[in-house]
Structures are given as C-alpha cells and as structure tokens.
Amino acid sequence: TAASTPDNVDDVLDAPSAKTAAQIAREVQRRRTFGIISHPDAGKTTLTEKLLLFSGAIQLAGTVKGRKSGRHATSDWMDIEKQRGISVASSVMQFEFREHVINLLDTPGHQDFSEDTYRVLTAVDSALMVIDAAKGVEEQTIKLLDVCRMRATPIVTFMNKMDRETRDPLELLDEVESVLKIECAPVTWPIGMGKNFRGVYHLIKDEIMLFKAGEEKADGDYEIIKGIDNPRLAEMFPMEIEQLKMEVELVHGASHVFDLERFLSGVQTPVFFGSAINNFGVREILSALIDWAPAPRERDATVRAVKPEEERFSGFVFKIQANMDPAHRDRIAFLRVCSGRFDKGMKVRHLRLGREVKLSSVVTFMASSREQVEEAYAGDIIGLPNHGNMQIGDSFSEGELLTFTGIPYFAPDLFRTVRIRNPLKTKQLHKGLQQLGEEGAVQVFKPVIGSDLILGAVGVLQFEVVASRLLNEYGVDAVFEGSSISSARWVSSDDKKALSDFESQLAPQVAYDAAGNLAFLATSGVNLRLTQERWPKLQFHATREHA
Ligand code: G4P
C-alpha cells in the first residue's frame, strides 16, 4: 500500500478501498455491544426500558415486555411460543445515543433462563451487572459473571433500588469483591437510602446529584450541587452530609480508584448506585458504557485473530430461535458481526457447510423503528432466517476459511431421562433431539449402557420447550422423567488408556454427547469430586467449545 505523506493523503482517502476502510473503522469505534447480567427481580427489565426511553428509542414505558404477565409457568405450547415471539423482537435492541450505536443483547432470565443466556455473553464486548442493593450478590449473577470471566469481559456495576431499605453500601462492595472476585471502584456513592435516599455523590466529578422520585421523569432531571464542601449541602441535609463525608473518607482509603486499564481487562468494575424505577443513575450508566466500555475488539478464530475493522465481512452464530409459527420450521440464527461490513443481499460463505449463501432477508433490530437496516458492522447482530441448516457456533465469512472459537457449550445443571410411548417413533425422536441439540435448545447424552437418552439443560423451561417441539414438529410423544444425575463434566486426556479404563470401569455413569464427546454424569457434588480425585490423569471440563 502507498505510504501516505501529507501530499497524498487526499488521494489515498479518495481511493474506494481506503474510504471503505476508514468508514468501517469509524463505525466500529462508535459501537458498544453489551448484555445485562442480573438475578431475576434485580431490575433488568426496568433498567432496559429506562435505557431505551432515555436514548429516545422508545416513547412509552411498558413497551419492552409485560413484566408479570410475561412470566409464564405453564407448559402450554402457545404460551411459550407467544412469549418467545415477543422475545425474538426484544432479544436484541439497537439504539443510538450520543453519536454511538448501542446493541443491548437480552440475557433471558426467570423461566426463560437457558444456555442461550450464557451464550449471549460470548457475543458481547461488555456487561452491565445489576444488583438489588437490598439483596446483594445472588446465585444467577454468580453464574453469569463466571461466564463473563471466560473472556475477561469488562463489567459495569449498578446497585439498584436505593430508594428502598438496602444493605450497607460498603458491605455490598465487600461482598462483590469476595464472592465475585472482582475489584470494585465506586464511581458514585449513595447518600442515605430508602425514605432518606437523597442522591449520590460522584467521587470523580466531586458533585452531588439530588434524588427526586418519580417514574415518569426524564433521567438527568435532577439538581446538581458542586463540591462535597458546598455550604448548601450542609444546610439541606445536615445529618446525611456528615455521614457522607465519613463514608467518602473511608471509601477513598479502603477501596480502589477507577482505572480504565483494569476495567478493560476485567479485573475491576466501576460501581454506580441508583434507582432504575426512578430513572436515577441511568445517564451515568450510559456514559460509562460509551466513555469506558470497549468498542468491538479482535476475536479469535482458527488460523488467526480477526480485527473488527478488516474490510471483509465475518461473523458467527451464537443463538438460534425457533419462529413463532409452529407450522413452519423456520428458525432465526443470531449472528454477531465480527469484521467488515454486512450489506443486504451480499453473498457469504457458510464455513461448516462449505457453501455460499445469499443474505437477503435478514432481520435487524432497531429498537426505535421497523426500518430495515441495510448494513451492519462489527458488534451488530443480524438475524438470519433459515430452515434448520444453521448451528450454534457456525461461522460465516467473505471467502476466507476461518472459524470463530470461544462459543462454548455449558455443562447442564438439570437432567431428565427421555422415553417414548411409541417405540416405532424412535427414529423421529433421535432426529428431533439431534436437531434440537444442534440448535442449542437442549443437550443430549447417550449413556454407554442402556437405550434411554438423557437430556441436560440449565433452565427448566428448556425441557418443556423440547417436549412441545418434539410433539409438534416431529410427532413424537416423549415422556421425561427425573434423573439421579446432578451434574455433567466433559472428560478428556492425552492418556488414551486412562480414558478407556475410565469408560469401562464407570460405564453406568459415562455417556457421549450429540457431538460424540465423552462425558461423566455425576450423581452428586461429592461423587464428582471423588471421581476427579481418583482419576488424576483425566481432565474434567464444565464447558466445551463448539466442535
Ligand atoms: P428483572 O427484569 O430483573 O426480573 O426485574 P424487573 O425490572 O422486572 O424488576 C423487578 C421488580 O423490582 C419490579 O417490581 C420493579 O418495579 C422493581 N424495581 C425495579 N427497579 C426498582 C427500583 O429502583 N426501586 C424499586 N423500589 N423497585 C424497583 P414488581 O412489583 O415485581 O413488578 P411490577 O409489578 O412493578 O412490574
């Protein structure tokens, strides 16, 4: 390529490819792709809605999805489908804010909790952790943060519900540090809580944002007082300000100062306090995501790492969702763009199938309008309709043979044995489970002994969805029964003899997954631990890479 001296800069920029390259780089730089990790009820839905409202992407509260009404506990097919139909539309929300394009990926919770929830996190560049300040760190947050840690994803933390009686803020930070093993750098600090919640003190800007309750008010609609020593504050809240000064001194002494590099490498999280329902603190969160969270970064693939600003398009599928209409077996594959520019109608190579496909009827996800977006860049998500020929982990590229790595399967926590009422349908059962397994709807294990199959999932709704889909799409009436298995681990070793000894000696607890990988099915935590101790030459894995 031509060296650019001050004289020929314009010539270089005029060349079509330099223009394209510059444009791609610009688009990549202004993108932020993140997901929210939280335990059910911490306020994810509320915060999502406020983020969209604040950015002007939606005008009315209540648009994101019905909260309680959307929580279903029945196995009714239509209910599930309806719910999933809604979540197709809201599973990726793209909006613009301060000249940035933000892709917010939904991480399904409640009964929708499934492996998808985990895998979505492999497609984001940062995550927003929402914690209910009255409850502290909860179970689902721990699991999701573990997944983020696999790629050292930067995390922004929001301590929500400060308008309620909460736990002591210092204690909350301690808990995050000790349970989640991540350094906390408080950026805002709460003044009081519950009925006496007065606002937050911004530790970096040295200013106080006064809290005002009200669901309908716009974010940022609060008074700011400069300086913690401002005499006005002492007049307004004589009690609270003394307390605040003491706490701030403690915080300065005992906790970490925000450090961008540490945040970007996933070892430190900036912490904000606020109240999502009152739209208080949402602007700070958005600013942190824009100013601090990373733009799309390089992703690992076989052969080489792929840079987002490369000119040629590439991406991978991280989630597959069945369509609303059970009569059609249409699915939408969610693809994260990793490099280049997607143009509607372009031809790309589907690497696993070794085939060219034309991406014409692609779904995009602008939260503000139904307009069909014609182009997409690294960090964006596009939906590819297909008839079951796509799998989780599939890579697409404009020619080059590379497969993205790091799209894992997670060891399930819940297990069912599957039987069929009509033995003549065995073939359909296997075919159905094979396809549903490839889609990532459920994991299928075939024990070395016996003919029953074992299904594994991380969320209980996965079993209900699979049962209804087997019936509706494959005509198989399957019976799911409880199983004595409590966890699974994929087993590997360089020592072939040890592996085959293991397989024969522990046959009743050994199975192969749908992709033919050896797995150990443990009946309890103790059983797993003892087995690991007894077989030191084997490695037991809680995740496995897409093959
Ligand atoms: P989720 O998606 O994480 O499950 O949580 P969601 O936003 O649905 O919020 C769970 C509950 O917490 C909701 O109340 C919501 O109104 C409430 N909430 C969210 N943010 C705040 C906050 O800042 N302060 C207070 N006090 N409450 C908050 P709900 O009664 O379960 O549902 P709804 O009937 O209000 O919709």
Side-chain angles (χ1 to χ4, degrees), residues 283 348 374 376:
R283 177 202 291 264
V348 297
E374 306 278 321

Side-chain angles (χ1 to χ4, degrees), residues 38-46 67-68 71 110 160-161 163-164 275-278:
S38 64
H39 191 81
D41 282 336
K44 182 185 68 146
T45 312
T46 310
R67 290 204 198 98
K68 288 235 162 94
R71 289 174 194 166
H110 295 283
N160 191 26
K161 307 198 187 180
D163 60 317
R164 288 202 183 158
S275 167
I277 194 113
N278 290 294

Side-chain angles (χ1 to χ4, degrees), residues 408-426:
Y409 280 89
F410 296 88
D413 296 320
L414 306 166
F415 297 86
R416 298 282 187 275
T417 305
V418 57
R419 252 189 330 107
I420 36 173
R421 291 185 217 272
N422 178 357
L424 294 177
K425 295 270 188 178
T426 305

